[in-house]
Amino acid sequence: MLRKYLIPSLVTARRLLQTQISENIQTCVPHKPVMVKEVLENLKPSENQTILDMTFGAGGHSRQILNSAPNIRLLALDRDPVAHEYAKELQKEFPDQIVPLLGRFSELPQLLQEAAVEQNSIDGILFDFGCSSMQFEVAERGFSVVRNAPLDMRMDGKRFPEMPTAADVLARAGELDLYRIFKVYGEEKNARKIARAIVQARYGVKRIETTKELVDLVSACCEEDFRLDLLHRPTSLATKVFQALRIFVNNELNEINYGMILAQRFVKVGGRVVTITFHSLEDKIVKRHIMGNVTENMANPLPLKYVSHTLIYDQDSLETLTDTGWLSLHKHVLTPRPEEIEQNPRSRSAKLRAAIRLD
């Protein structure tokens, strides 16, 4: 019985086609920065400014920022050692303008101190959250549902050898914990069934150690499902499970929350922050920091509109819950233009928010 979770059961032609379509789409689209025009319009980089790119990636946004005005000093942060090497290469092209920084958001205060950057001194900060295209395209990183490789998913690479991989999580976490990971971080409707199958498989057959093994297991659990992405194209049944594991392994939501706190500390009054998110969990944290509803430096998990009407807050408590140090530049979130989505399907779920730092 358990072996069906690991052996690609008589995989239907529909599922084979589904995987092939997904792989073709991913391999034909090179790495492209998302919503570049909107980023520049909202960040408004100008001569002699200091800009912090918190998610350098392959440097697509950073290059456009440097080309938009003379003598911009760009701080290029990324937790991925591969991206850090890209930043060093771009530094050769823009000497004395780029400061490559290797680390997570939570490592930023120490990195900025070493770079002699003080609080309230940065003119603008850009966040482009989520996994970069180049991470998906390197099979060995274990992020992709269409490339077989060890289940790693660590954005930091091997900087922290003791940090658990996605395979370690699947091998050690209990059924309830796995259920919560898939349900909360992946919003996976079959979370309970998949968690149970993983636990049964590791005790009855073998540990799940590769991306293909995980995809096959999820496919066996969700055999009757057929899912489409936002562009109504067939998508892998394991996409949400992979997303959930990636977020958990890299502690992404806590890092995003801390990154927004740091933005308010380091951006000068009148400075700007621009964020690009790719799913609701990221966007919710950003929105609450910009719009309010933050308590004790943490995006409140319970929005005020859902609080019981029987509770009565005094004025001081209400102001604390709704206080924000930002002025949003847009009433509604910005999304990619149709022509950009057509040229770069990976931009389809992007949402851009921008705000100005208040005194």
Side-chain angles (χ1 to χ4, degrees):
M1 289 292 292
L2 296 175
R3 194 167 298 276
K4 70 176 182 179
Y5 292 123
L6 290 177
I7 300 175
S9 54
L10 300 172
V11 184
T12 62
R14 181 183 67 180
R15 185 155 296 133
L16 284 173
L17 177 62
Q18 184 175 353
T19 302
Q20 290 169 359
I21 292 174
S22 178
E23 184 168 9
N24 289 338
I25 290 171
Q26 293 203 33
T27 54
C28 70
V29 181
H31 176 81
K32 293 181 180 180
V34 174
M35 301 182 74
V36 173
K37 179 175 178 289
E38 292 84 352
V39 166
L40 295 178
E41 288 174 349
N42 286 277
L43 197 59
K44 291 192 179 301
S46 60
E47 186 175 2
N48 297 320
Q49 282 192 341
T50 297
I51 305 294
L52 170 58
D53 187 343
M54 294 278 272
T55 47
F56 181 81
H61 288 112
S62 288
R63 179 182 293 278
Q64 297 298 326
I65 291 169
L66 289 165
N67 286 328
S68 67
N71 299 321
I72 287 179
R73 184 190 187 203
L74 189 128
L75 307 167
L77 175 74
D78 206 291
R79 65 190 294 178
D80 191 329
V82 176
H84 186 59
E85 293 302 316
Y86 277 112
K88 289 181 179 178
E89 289 300 313
L90 194 61
Q91 186 183 37
K92 297 175 184 177
E93 189 175 336
F94 295 87
D96 304 320
Q97 286 187 258
I98 294 184
V99 181
L101 303 172
L102 176 61
R104 308 169 181 175
F105 300 157
S106 51
E107 298 176 80
L108 184 63
Q110 179 64 33
L111 293 171
L112 292 183
Q113 185 178 32
E114 293 170 0
V117 177
E118 299 180 352
Q119 292 191 20
N120 303 307
S121 66
I122 295 176
D123 296 284
I125 290 182
L126 170 64
F127 292 94
D128 183 4
F129 296 118
C131 204
S132 70
S133 299
M134 59 187 185
Q135 288 170 330
F136 280 116
E137 288 163 0
V138 178
E140 292 73 20
R141 302 298 296 273
F143 289 102
S144 175
V145 297
V146 296
R147 293 177 171 86
N148 190 31
L151 272 168
D152 193 319
M153 296 195 188
R154 294 174 296 181
M155 289 182 174
D156 300 280
K158 298 181 181 179
R159 286 183 62 218
F160 303 101
E162 73 285 356
M163 179 179 172
T165 65
D168 292 331
V169 174
L170 296 183
R172 301 174 188 174
E175 182 178 331
L176 180 58
D177 291 326
L178 289 173
Y179 162 73
R180 288 171 175 164
I181 290 170
F182 301 149
K183 187 68 176 179
V184 175
Y185 295 151
E187 300 174 314
E188 170 58 58
K189 65 181 181 180
N190 294 308
R192 195 175 301 279
K193 185 190 297 185
I194 295 169
R196 183 176 299 117
I198 288 170
V199 173
Q200 290 178 341
R202 77 187 184 204
Y203 288 119
V205 184
K206 70 181 292 290
R207 288 174 44 168
I208 308 298
E209 296 179 327
T210 69
T211 55
K212 185 177 185 303
E213 288 173 348
L214 181 57
V215 170
D216 290 342
L217 181 144
V218 174
S219 297
C221 289
C222 312
E223 206 160 13
E224 302 304 316
D225 283 6
F226 184 70
R227 299 182 184 180
L228 303 174
D229 64 17
L230 294 178
L231 298 181
H232 301 289
R233 305 171 306 181
T235 187
S236 171
L237 299 174
T239 297
K240 291 184 176 182
V241 170
F242 271 64
Q243 172 188 298
L245 278 173
R246 190 202 79 214
I247 290 173
F248 179 78
V249 166
N250 295 288
N251 196 25
E252 288 182 39
L253 300 188
N254 284 327
E255 287 288 328
I256 290 172
N257 184 77
Y258 190 52
M260 292 301 297
I261 294 170
L262 292 176
Q264 196 165 355
R265 300 288 189 273
F266 283 93
V267 171
K268 62 176 60 173
V269 174
R272 295 172 177 243
V273 64
V274 175
T275 69
I276 301 174
T277 61
F278 289 88
H279 58 75
S280 61
L281 298 176
E282 296 172 343
D283 185 59
K284 193 177 295 181
I285 294 172
V286 171
K287 180 179 179 180
R288 289 176 180 174
H289 274 277
I290 291 178
M291 303 296 188
N293 197 25
V294 175
T295 57
E296 297 180 352
N297 286 331
M298 180 65 69
N300 192 343
L302 186 64
L304 287 176
K305 66 179 180 179
Y306 295 123
V307 173
S308 171
H309 65 275
T310 62
L311 296 177
I312 299 176
Y313 288 96
D314 58 54
Q315 189 62 31
D316 289 341
S317 298
L318 190 62
E319 289 178 358
T320 299
L321 288 168
T322 58
D323 183 38
T324 174
W326 301 103
L327 173 64
S328 179
L329 291 174
H330 304 282
K331 185 175 181 181
H332 301 291
V333 68
L334 301 183
T335 55
R337 290 163 285 124
E339 54 268 30
E340 178 172 5
I341 295 175
E342 183 176 351
Q343 294 173 4
N344 182 12
R346 283 177 174 156
S347 70
R348 63 190 180 275
S349 55
K351 294 181 179 180
L352 185 147
R353 296 185 185 273
I356 295 176
R357 165 81 191 284
L358 299 174
D359 187 358

